[in-house]
Amino acid sequence: MKKILTPLAIVISLALSSNVTAEDFIPKADSPALEAVSAMVEEPFVQAEINEETYVSAEQQILDELNKKGWSQGWDANKKRLFVVNTEMFDSEDPTYDDSFITKRSQYAMMATMGAKAKMVEFMRTQMSAVDQLTAPGTDVHAELNAQYIKLNKKVEAQQRTLEKLLAEVNATEAEKLKGVTWQDRRDAYIDALIKKIDESYSAGKLEEKKVKKYQKAKQRYVEAQTEMSEIMKQASAIKGKTKLESSSRVETLAKAPIMGASVLLQAESWNSEEEKYEVSTLMVWSPKLEQAAKAIVTGEAVTLKPKKALTVQDWLKSQEAATLVGPRQYVDKDGDRWFIGAYSMPVEGSSSLIRKNKGIADLMAKKEAAMALYADVETQKQAEIAMQTRSGDLNGKDHTAIATSFAETTRQSIENRQVNGLSPLFTKTVLHPISQQKIYVVAYGVSPSSASEALKMEYSTYQAASAANKSNKVSQAVHQTLETQLEMSKTSPVATNDVEQEIENVSNSTRSSESNSTSSSKVKSNSSSLLNAPTIDEDDF
């Protein structure tokens, strides 16, 4: 099968590796009941080859992975965990020459994870307001006019048949000529022609006396009906387009709550060249165990670690496809320490100042993603409305119905003045993004209970050391001040006779000693040399 670049899709299994198991997301008490799921990923994810025949959207790839592992969206009461899938998309003519593509993709990945958290909050509690409403006029004037119009139309048609029969009796040839000209838009002209021919026959004395009355009656009724119909048409024209029926449906939801420990399990990206749409889809999970791990980091609680067969968090990040890292992740390392990780990427092509700026943005955004994975206040407000309106059309015609829809959303996740201990860079790499072929800088920050604990110890130690240094500095300042005072006092105090005699004797002895040393040193020669300060080095010191 021929390989192609477009339409191109890429799916990323970022958090799932051979070192991640189902037990990482559930309370320990429930672990024995999860033997069927414990082998969640026995082998690293391998991306299937993508071409025109096998193209699958990002969201569908996530759903396929869910089905393959026997998972379902929503709350799993047996295993005490919540799975949420959320997808975002944006228009992209071609990622390879879209200068802002990487930034868009990173932001839409953030929107996908934030939307997933919003669904989790909505699961907990949703405040809802909704209304369905129907409005119709008390009296449908248009319908009444239409009924009159139909009645008069039947009256006109009846007179037409009478006139046709009369003309056929007096002039069959002319009657035959007029047949077939009966369609609606020429009906009046046809009846006028009938009357004209009958009038000619009447003037020529060809119409019998008994049929004259019949003809005059039919002609009068036709004229009356036409006059009434003309008036109805004027009234109908005046109210044409007026509302006959309105209906609307409106719903508004509000949900807000703190979320701790929610993490991305799967993330996928895809670009369809035909539709020119780029899609980012994510699968997020929340469980009591994840929440407890995040809480331990935030509150500084001690966590009992259980070593497991796994990698260090740095080695695990190195084993991932760096080009696909964006957003929150979690990983339990070989020491049983759970890491909450935030990753972000920015383009690194262009001037050196632009690259520096983008690296700084990626660095801060990765920190934000890691912090948001620990704790975030999430609030989402949504409003949807559908309105339908039916207006009157022409008489004896169809009504016109129009539909209008509206959707508004405000979703927000935030942290404010949160103290985060132990957050450190774990991974940085510059790689080529496989879809856009653009060079990107990827950075990941992480925090775990043990890193948070060590950071707290380090903080205490630095403050204690600084306090000791400050105290020593103050003592030193006091000693110096005392010495300065003594120096100033010595300038004005009287000199004792004994001190003068002792100084003369000291100077005399010093002079004799100097002459002796001068004679001796004149015999020493100076040579080129070098100095090396090589103290004993212990790597544990740093």
Side-chain angles (χ1 to χ4, degrees):
M1 187 175 290
K2 184 180 178 182
K3 295 181 180 179
I4 62 171
L5 291 177
T6 57
L8 178 66
I10 184 171
V11 66
I12 305 117
S13 180
L14 293 174
L16 294 179
S17 74
S18 57
N19 303 297
V20 183
T21 63
E23 284 82 352
D24 291 340
F25 310 104
I26 58 171
K28 293 180 179 179
D30 296 332
S31 296
L34 298 176
E35 295 179 2
V37 188
S38 61
M40 186 169 65
V41 180
E42 295 298 334
E43 297 179 0
F45 179 86
V46 178
Q47 171 63 47
E49 181 182 316
I50 302 297
N51 55 40
E52 285 182 341
E53 289 76 20
T54 60
Y55 172 80
V56 181
S57 70
E59 181 176 75
Q60 190 56 52
Q61 296 217 49
I62 293 288
L63 296 176
D64 289 346
E65 285 296 306
L66 269 174
N67 292 332
K68 188 184 299 182
K69 300 182 187 308
W71 297 342
S72 297
Q73 294 188 64
W75 177 251
D76 186 335
N78 294 325
K79 300 179 175 66
K80 307 299 181 187
R81 60 191 182 189
L82 178 64
F83 285 124
V84 173
V85 176
N86 194 53
T87 303
E88 297 288 348
M89 69 171 63
F90 60 93
D91 294 329
S92 178
E93 186 175 309
D94 191 332
T96 59
Y97 57 76
D98 184 349
D99 294 338
S100 60
F101 167 77
I102 296 298
T103 306
K104 291 177 188 174
R105 166 255 189 180
S106 295
Q107 279 299 99
Y108 272 84
M110 178 275 296
M111 289 166 58
T113 57
M114 183 173 65
K117 288 183 183 179
K119 290 180 179 179
M120 291 178 175
V121 169
E122 288 174 330
F123 170 76
M124 290 187 227
R125 181 192 295 268
T126 299
Q127 178 180 312
M128 182 178 291
S129 300
V131 61
D132 293 327
Q133 182 170 310
L134 171 67
T135 304
T139 302
D140 193 343
V141 179
H142 190 275
E144 292 180 7
L145 292 176
N146 197 50
Q148 293 179 41
Y149 175 84
I150 293 172
K151 183 179 179 180
L152 289 171
N153 195 53
K154 290 179 179 180
K155 184 176 180 180
V156 169
E157 290 175 350
Q159 308 319 309
Q160 176 184 331
R161 289 191 297 271
T162 301
L163 293 171
E164 284 176 343
K165 187 176 180 181
L166 284 171
L167 181 60
E169 290 177 357
V170 297
N171 195 331
T173 303
E174 289 298 329
E176 188 65 29
K177 286 180 181 179
L178 292 175
K179 281 185 177 180
V181 196
T182 58
W183 53 83
Q184 187 66 31
D185 58 346
R186 295 191 59 186
R187 185 187 64 187
D188 292 344
Y190 168 65
I191 295 178
D192 289 341
L194 280 175
I195 292 173
K196 183 179 179 182
K197 291 298 180 182
I198 296 175
D199 281 343
E200 290 175 358
S201 299
Y202 174 69
S203 299
K206 295 179 181 180
L207 194 64
E208 297 177 11
E209 187 65 29
K210 65 178 182 178
K211 294 180 180 178
V212 171
K213 291 182 179 181
K214 189 175 183 181
Y215 163 64
Q216 290 176 339
K217 186 186 293 184
K219 181 179 178 180
Q220 183 181 357
R221 287 176 178 173
Y222 165 69
V223 172
E224 290 173 353
Q226 280 294 88
T227 302
E228 289 184 52
M229 190 175 289
S230 177
E231 183 62 30
I232 290 174
M233 293 290 285
K234 288 180 182 179
Q235 295 180 43
S237 178
I239 65 172
K240 180 182 177 180
K242 287 193 174 181
T243 302
K244 296 178 67 177
L245 181 71
E246 281 186 324
S247 70
S248 64
S249 295
R250 186 173 182 271
V251 59
E252 184 174 352
T253 61
L254 173 65
K256 56 182 178 180
I259 288 286
M260 299 184 71
S263 181
V264 169
L265 275 182
L266 289 168
Q267 184 167 309
E269 302 175 33
S270 65
W271 178 62
N272 189 315
S273 63
E274 293 182 3
E275 297 182 2
E276 296 183 348
K277 294 188 185 299
Y278 200 88
E279 189 173 281
V280 181
S281 187
T282 186
L283 168 65
M284 291 199 78
V285 63
W286 178 93
S287 71
K289 190 172 182 181
L290 282 171
E291 182 181 63
Q292 288 300 318
K295 179 186 174 186
I297 295 174
V298 173
T299 61
E301 298 175 18
V303 177
T304 302
L305 303 180
K306 181 180 179 182
K308 59 179 290 184
K309 185 180 180 182
L311 303 171
T312 64
V313 65
Q314 290 86 354
D315 288 340
W316 178 76
L317 284 167
K318 290 175 184 177
S319 71
Q320 304 302 299
E321 175 55 58
T324 65
L325 278 173
V326 60
R329 304 290 183 271
Q330 74 80 42
Y331 180 70
V332 180
D333 67 14
K334 65 183 183 65
D335 298 319
D337 207 13
R338 183 184 299 280
W339 289 86
F340 287 90
I341 303 165
Y344 208 81
S345 60
M346 288 290 287
V348 283
E349 294 177 324
S351 66
S352 56
S353 60
L354 177 61
I355 292 174
R356 184 179 186 277
K357 180 184 78 172
N358 285 349
K359 282 187 173 182
I361 292 172
D363 196 74
L364 284 176
M365 289 297 179
K367 289 179 180 178
K368 182 263 293 182
E369 290 293 336
M372 290 285 196
L374 281 178
Y375 182 103
D377 291 311
V378 181
E379 180 175 344
T380 180
Q381 186 171 11
K382 299 175 183 176
Q383 185 183 89
E385 187 168 3
I386 300 175
M388 184 184 74
Q389 190 176 75
T390 300
R391 292 179 176 271
S392 58
D394 295 322
L395 283 178
N396 205 30
K398 295 181 179 179
D399 293 332
H400 302 288
T401 300
I403 293 287
T405 60
S406 172
F407 177 75
E409 176 184 359
T410 301
T411 298
R412 183 175 185 265
Q413 63 173 354
S414 64
I415 54 175
E416 187 173 354
N417 297 325
R418 284 281 169 185
Q419 310 302 314
V420 181
N421 301 95
L423 185 62
S424 61
L426 301 176
F427 177 81
T428 57
K429 192 173 184 180
T430 299
V431 296
L432 205 65
H433 185 258
I435 294 183
S436 67
Q437 295 299 298
Q438 295 187 38
K439 191 160 54 171
I440 61 174
Y441 171 77
V442 184
V443 58
Y445 273 75
V447 59
S448 70
S450 63
S451 75
S453 176
E454 291 301 320
L456 280 172
K457 292 177 183 177
M458 180 178 174
E459 183 181 25
Y460 295 155
S461 176
T462 56
Y463 273 88
Q464 288 171 351
S467 296
N470 289 339
K471 182 178 180 181
S472 175
N473 185 56
K474 287 184 177 181
V475 171
S476 178
Q477 288 177 344
V479 170
H480 177 73
Q481 188 61 42
T482 300
L483 293 174
E484 285 284 346
T485 302
Q486 290 177 352
L487 177 62
E488 291 300 319
M489 292 175 61
S490 68
K491 291 178 181 179
T492 58
S493 60
V495 179
T497 303
N498 293 339
D499 291 338
V500 174
E501 293 175 350
Q502 182 65 45
E503 182 63 20
I504 292 172
E505 183 179 352
N506 290 343
V507 170
S508 177
N509 292 336
S510 176
T511 301
R512 288 192 295 271
S513 176
S514 176
E515 291 174 351
S516 174
N517 290 338
S518 176
T519 304
S520 175
S521 62
S522 62
K523 301 177 181 179
V524 178
K525 184 178 181 181
S526 178
N527 295 316
S528 298
S529 185
S530 62
L531 299 175
L532 173 65
N533 178 19
T536 302
I537 299 175
D538 187 343
E539 289 190 30
D540 290 339
D541 291 344
F542 55 87

